[in-house]
Amino acid sequence: IYEMRYTANDAPMIWNVPYNVLRRANRIMEAIDQGIVKNAGESDKNKAAAARIYSEALVVRALVHFDLVRVYGNPYTMDNGAGLGVPIMLKPLDSKALPQRNTVKEVYEQVVKDLKKAIEDDALDKEMNNGYITHWTAKGLLARVYLYMGDNANARKEAMEVIEQSPYKLWTNTEYANRVWDKTVGA
């Protein structure tokens, strides 16, 4: 499946798995919105954790929509997003639902909206936190989305902020060659 070789057996999984992830992200956000997620003692620390989890779910939802529209829609720059993309899922749906496809532009607009909200809510970690979705994860993804939209000015702005202000550093050419291409690393 990871090679994207469509066959009768694996094509449904390439579609179903991302929509299952969307459903889960939406259920998390729904549970937080409805107060189903109980914050023991309603402490500020627990409220902050719920806000962080909500923002992380927004970033996951944006990433999945972005990945899906790149697989199933035309490139945004081909027709400014006028072609059909994928259905936008903003709430959990019944497994038998058959939603209509949105345009590529609508999907990209939702992706940008979700990422901006996650960033603006200021609940994501700004420290280095490998393996977790952080403020910098959302900013980096937003830069990439803008790049795919052909919005180079905003792509550069977001990318430069990550490069210059985040605790993460770009590898030098030597570090890249040694870490990526050296087969003994991690062995």
Side-chain angles (χ1 to χ4, degrees):
I1 292 174
Y2 70 90
E3 292 177 342
M4 300 304 246
R5 293 183 184 179
Y6 292 91
T7 67
N9 293 332
D10 65 9
M13 291 305 294
I14 296 170
W15 181 266
N16 290 340
V17 170
Y19 276 99
N20 283 332
V21 172
L22 283 173
R23 188 182 72 246
R24 290 175 184 152
N26 286 327
R27 287 222 186 274
I28 289 169
M29 290 185 285
E30 180 183 71
I32 292 170
D33 284 341
Q34 293 176 356
I36 294 170
V37 174
K38 301 295 181 197
N39 296 323
E42 294 292 322
S43 71
D44 288 342
K45 183 177 179 179
N46 289 338
K47 288 179 186 176
R52 188 193 78 245
I53 291 167
Y54 189 95
S55 291
E56 289 172 346
L58 278 171
V59 175
V60 167
R61 184 169 79 183
L63 175 61
V64 173
H65 279 116
F66 181 54
D67 284 346
L68 280 166
V69 78
R70 286 183 301 127
V71 171
Y72 292 105
N74 288 328
Y76 186 94
T77 55
M78 186 171 131
D79 56 6
N80 284 328
L84 287 178
V86 296
I88 297 172
M89 296 294 109
L90 302 180
K91 61 181 183 174
L93 293 180
D94 179 77
S95 63
K96 303 289 187 215
L98 298 172
Q100 296 295 310
R101 291 172 70 183
N102 292 85
T103 65
V104 169
K105 183 176 184 172
E106 290 169 333
V107 176
Y108 272 84
E109 286 172 348
Q110 185 62 49
V111 168
V112 169
K113 182 179 177 182
D114 282 350
L115 291 171
K116 283 184 170 183
K117 178 166 177 33
I119 292 165
E120 291 165 3
D121 284 351
D122 203 30
L124 296 170
D125 288 338
K126 289 186 180 174
E127 286 81 35
M128 186 177 286
N129 200 353
N130 293 335
Y132 291 88
I133 294 172
T134 67
H135 174 85
W136 306 110
T137 307
K139 284 273 197 191
L141 181 55
L142 184 57
R144 187 170 183 194
V145 170
Y146 281 140
L147 185 65
Y148 274 72
M149 294 174 72
D151 185 348
N152 294 334
N154 276 321
R156 183 181 191 286
K157 175 186 159 291
E158 298 296 337
M160 291 307 294
E161 189 173 329
V162 173
I163 291 167
E164 293 172 351
Q165 297 178 26
S166 81
Y168 300 95
K169 301 297 173 216
L170 294 174
W171 287 341
T172 65
N173 290 344
T174 303
E175 287 173 323
Y176 182 78
N178 290 339
R179 292 180 184 207
V180 173
W181 301 110
D182 184 356
K183 293 184 181 190
T184 62
V185 173

